[in-house]
Amino acid sequence: MKVNDLILQTTTTLLTFIIVIFSVYLFFAGHYTPGGGFIGGLMTSAALVLLLLAFDKKTVQNALPFNYLSIAAAGLMISIITGVIALFFDVPFLTHTFGYVELPLLGKTALTSTLPFDLGVYLVVVGVAMTIIQTIGENE
Amino acid sequence: MTETISIFIGVVVLLGSLLSLVTTIGLIRLPDVYTRSHAASKSATLGVLLILVAALLYFWLADNYFSARLVLGIVFVFITAPVAGHLISRAAYYTDVPLWEKSVKDDLKTKARHEPKKEIEKRQKVHTEA
């Protein structure tokens, strides 16, 4: 049977942007409000799963040619490096700092070294969730 | 926040929850999948939208906090809920869920290339074996 998924596909192309933007918002909001790397990563993988539901796997793989296992590995690497950097400043492993920085476009911004650590968590969650779903989703 | 505004917000919340109640009554009372999906996707959407709008107005006027997340949620529910209803009804129709016995018209029956039931069963059998 030839399926006609026009409505699903059109809304998916629209909604994926909203979901990804919301996940990025959740990721950056984590320091002061509910959110963070874990829930942001899950939200991003939810957007990718929605794409997988509406289109077939080949199309999604062509549009977003990521190897999700390497993404998970890169996330672990980033988290470990943020912990190791602390050792160079004569403080215990995973000690984090905090400070205000003048950025060119954003002005005075509060930056903390937990942000790259959270980025690592985010990448691991996206990578693991997408690896699990794609592995289960394959027929053969 | 003045008295009039708080009464208005209260009315909007109550209207939204009443519409949600109407949805559940419709889900229990209506005879088949398609009429139920009609009840669930329309009135539930409007009910949730009204409650979200009331929450947006409340936080805006009482706490002077404009929540962009609530606006995003309103837009999101408004787009997704009808599509979900459409997909559920379509899946039901193509898996031969019967219409209500008092239905008089089924235009899709002649238009859609309707797969015989045997074919679907065959495919399910292959699926379970694999």
Side-chain angles (χ1 to χ4, degrees):
Chain A
M1 185 172 70
K2 193 167 175 289
V3 283
N4 179 9
D5 279 338
L6 185 66
I7 295 177
L8 178 64
Q9 288 176 350
T10 315
T11 44
T12 300
T13 47
L14 194 74
L15 289 175
T16 308
F17 289 107
I18 300 182
I19 302 175
V20 168
I21 288 168
F22 187 61
S23 75
V24 171
Y25 163 79
L26 277 177
F27 170 69
F28 281 114
H31 205 70
Y32 292 110
T33 49
F38 183 76
I39 194 71
L42 274 185
M43 198 65 117
T44 306
S45 33
L48 295 174
V49 169
L50 185 65
L51 278 180
L52 281 174
L53 281 177
F55 303 95
D56 57 322
K57 196 188 158 198
K58 223 175 203 169
T59 320
V60 179
Q61 198 68 259
N62 278 338
L64 306 162
F66 300 134
N67 181 0
Y68 291 106
L69 264 182
S70 343
I71 285 184
L76 272 180
M77 200 67 195
I78 291 171
S79 290
I80 292 171
I81 287 172
T82 51
V84 168
I85 284 175
L87 291 176
F88 293 113
F89 294 95
D90 266 346
V91 282
F93 182 61
L94 276 178
T95 307
H96 287 292
T97 55
F98 179 85
Y100 290 97
V101 185
E102 285 288 339
L103 287 182
L105 208 63
L106 300 167
K108 193 181 170 194
T109 317
L111 279 185
T112 160
S113 63
T114 44
L115 193 69
F117 182 79
D118 230 21
L119 180 70
V121 175
Y122 176 92
L123 291 178
V124 169
V125 170
V126 171
V128 169
M130 290 315 290
T131 308
I132 292 173
I133 286 161
Q134 288 200 340
T135 318
I136 296 174
E138 273 172 54
N139 266 337
E140 279 79 7
Chain B
M1 197 164 73
T2 60
E3 202 65 25
T4 341
I5 293 172
S6 56
I7 289 173
F8 174 73
I9 291 175
V11 168
V12 175
V13 169
L14 275 178
L15 214 66
S17 37
L18 273 177
L19 270 171
S20 306
L21 183 69
V22 167
T23 308
T24 46
I25 294 173
L27 279 182
I28 297 168
R29 296 280 300 158
L30 288 172
D32 70 346
V33 179
Y34 309 103
T35 46
R36 280 179 187 171
S37 134
H38 161 80
S41 52
K42 276 196 181 66
S43 49
T45 310
L46 188 58
V48 171
L49 282 187
L50 284 180
I51 291 172
L52 285 179
V53 166
L56 178 76
L57 284 177
Y58 177 80
F59 285 116
W60 193 9
L61 299 169
D63 297 351
N64 217 358
Y65 170 68
F66 188 79
S67 171
R69 273 168 294 176
L70 278 172
V71 177
L72 211 62
I74 290 167
V75 173
F76 197 82
V77 171
F78 193 57
I79 298 174
T80 51
V83 177
H86 157 77
L87 287 173
I88 291 169
S89 312
R90 210 180 68 145
Y93 191 85
Y94 284 121
T95 45
D96 286 338
V97 174
L99 272 68
W100 185 32
E101 68 264 23
K102 285 182 194 161
S103 307
V104 287
K105 211 170 174 187
D106 186 4
D107 278 345
L108 198 55
K109 202 171 191 174
T110 50
K111 293 274 181 353
R113 227 181 332 134
H114 205 61
E115 215 174 355
K117 206 165 189 177
K118 226 189 244 169
E119 201 98 329
I120 294 172
E121 276 165 9
K122 205 167 77 188
R123 196 160 6 121
Q124 278 169 347
K125 213 171 145 197
V126 169
H127 200 71
T128 44
E129 275 167 4

